[in-house]
Amino acid sequence: MVAEDTKPTTKDGKEKKGSFWRELPVLVVVALVLALIIKSFVIQAFYIPSESMENTLLVNDRVLVNKLVYHTRDIERGDIVVFSGVDSWASEVEVPEPSNPVAGFFRWVGTAFGVVPGEKDYIKRVIGVPGDTVKCCDAKGRVTVNGVPLDEKDYLYPDDQPSQKFFEIKVEKDRLWVMGDHRSVSLDSRSHQGDPGGGAIPKDKVVGRAFVVVWPFSRATTLSIPDTFNQATLKSIATVGEAASPLLLGFAGAFPLMALRRRLRSRPGGSPTS
């Protein structure tokens, strides 16, 4: 027995087209849910509202931020990161409060998809990671990390000094020293030296790494780590520091074991334990 076609039809036998419009709201809701899941856990678009990262990032640029990358590798010097400054950093741009719940909803949606700026989201470049000593400035006016000068001409705003403020800080565990590329207008770690951590932000406030400019299309580009952060001397200092801690712990544990071994051997009838 052949099943009859039950699709709704008009009097002249043509299929009704209203079913698409009935399904459209469902499709929109599903698309929004999927987009929010991706935004929450994988990649999110962010709107650039201020001049603090010029000329690397301009006002009204949109960037994509990878939220998974730091689950597979550590945050590195030179990374451009988005982080939350809720309850700690004042906003660099005044964003008016929504006038009503409807406006608030659209503001939330716009923030989620990078159409409008987030109220407490910041974007800066990582200059120092935990254990680093970041200082400004050396005899040539350069920022140094662990005594190694940075050549910042590739990303620093034209004619800007590396810093208008002198500072020296040893970055605490689980914190990051961050600075804008447009140093003369950026309210970055230098402006928060009286805060806990001396201005360095907590690593757990980092949302993710900005890796590409997607809008406007004319400025589309990837955001790679500048060459100055790949200096062999800078990397070797970090490697030595990372290797030294386990080595020192190994020696610290070895001495008590050797002492115990000698005590056992010195007893009457004692024998080597190895």
Side-chain angles (χ1 to χ4, degrees):
M1 183 176 179
V2 180
E4 295 182 0
D5 187 354
T6 57
K7 292 181 180 179
T9 59
T10 60
K11 290 182 179 179
D12 57 4
K14 293 182 180 179
E15 184 180 334
K16 287 185 177 179
K17 298 181 180 179
S19 58
F20 169 77
W21 298 106
R22 288 195 296 271
E23 293 172 358
L24 182 60
V26 177
L27 292 173
V28 171
V29 170
V30 171
L32 284 173
V33 170
L34 289 175
L36 287 174
I37 291 173
I38 293 171
K39 166 257 178 187
S40 299
F41 300 104
V42 185
I43 292 176
Q44 182 175 354
F46 280 88
Y47 174 97
I48 306 302
S50 77
E51 303 171 345
S52 69
M53 283 296 293
E54 292 179 336
N55 281 331
T56 306
L57 301 173
L58 304 182
V59 176
N60 297 325
D61 279 356
R62 272 72 162 181
V63 299
L64 292 185
V65 171
N66 186 334
K67 293 187 168 186
L68 292 179
V69 62
Y70 296 134
H71 294 286
T72 60
R73 73 162 175 86
D74 289 334
I75 299 172
E76 297 181 6
R77 305 180 193 93
D79 279 347
I80 296 176
V81 297
V82 170
F83 61 95
S84 172
V86 174
D87 300 326
S88 58
W89 286 32
S91 178
E92 291 182 317
V93 176
E94 290 298 324
V95 180
E97 290 292 326
S99 57
N100 55 67
V102 174
F105 171 77
F106 284 106
R107 162 83 175 278
W108 175 81
V109 172
T111 300
F113 294 101
V115 179
V116 297
E119 185 178 1
K120 289 290 185 177
D121 292 326
Y122 300 83
I123 186 164
K124 305 292 180 189
R125 190 181 298 277
V126 176
I127 304 296
V129 296
D132 282 348
T133 297
V134 186
K135 182 179 179 180
C136 189
C137 296
D138 68 0
K140 295 184 178 181
R142 298 170 297 186
V143 171
T144 63
V145 179
N146 301 326
V148 179
L150 300 179
D151 181 0
E152 303 189 280
K153 65 177 181 295
D154 288 342
Y155 57 86
L156 202 64
Y157 187 78
D159 298 326
D160 249 9
Q161 299 175 20
S163 180
Q164 296 76 29
K165 300 178 180 179
F166 291 93
F167 62 86
E168 181 173 358
I169 182 171
K170 186 174 180 63
V171 184
E172 297 177 2
K173 179 183 178 182
D174 295 327
R175 287 185 175 270
L176 305 164
W177 182 267
V178 296
M179 299 172 73
D181 290 354
H182 193 169
R183 300 283 164 79
S184 60
V185 301
S186 178
L187 301 178
D188 48 39
S189 287
R190 297 169 298 163
S191 302
H192 294 269
Q193 294 182 68
D195 295 356
I201 65 166
K203 288 176 69 175
D204 61 10
K205 294 295 186 181
V206 172
V207 175
R209 176 179 181 265
F211 66 98
V212 64
V213 178
V214 293
W215 183 264
F217 291 138
S218 60
R219 284 184 35 77
T221 185
T222 56
L223 300 170
S224 57
I225 295 177
D227 289 341
T228 191
F229 294 99
N230 294 320
Q231 296 180 74
T233 49
L234 188 56
K235 284 187 171 291
S236 65
I237 289 172
T239 303
V240 169
E242 291 168 1
S245 296
L247 188 60
L248 290 173
L249 290 173
F251 275 114
F255 281 115
L257 290 175
M258 292 298 292
L260 177 62
R261 184 173 185 270
R262 283 195 294 269
R263 287 183 61 185
L264 291 173
R265 293 185 63 180
S266 66
R267 291 180 180 176
S271 60
T273 57
S274 60

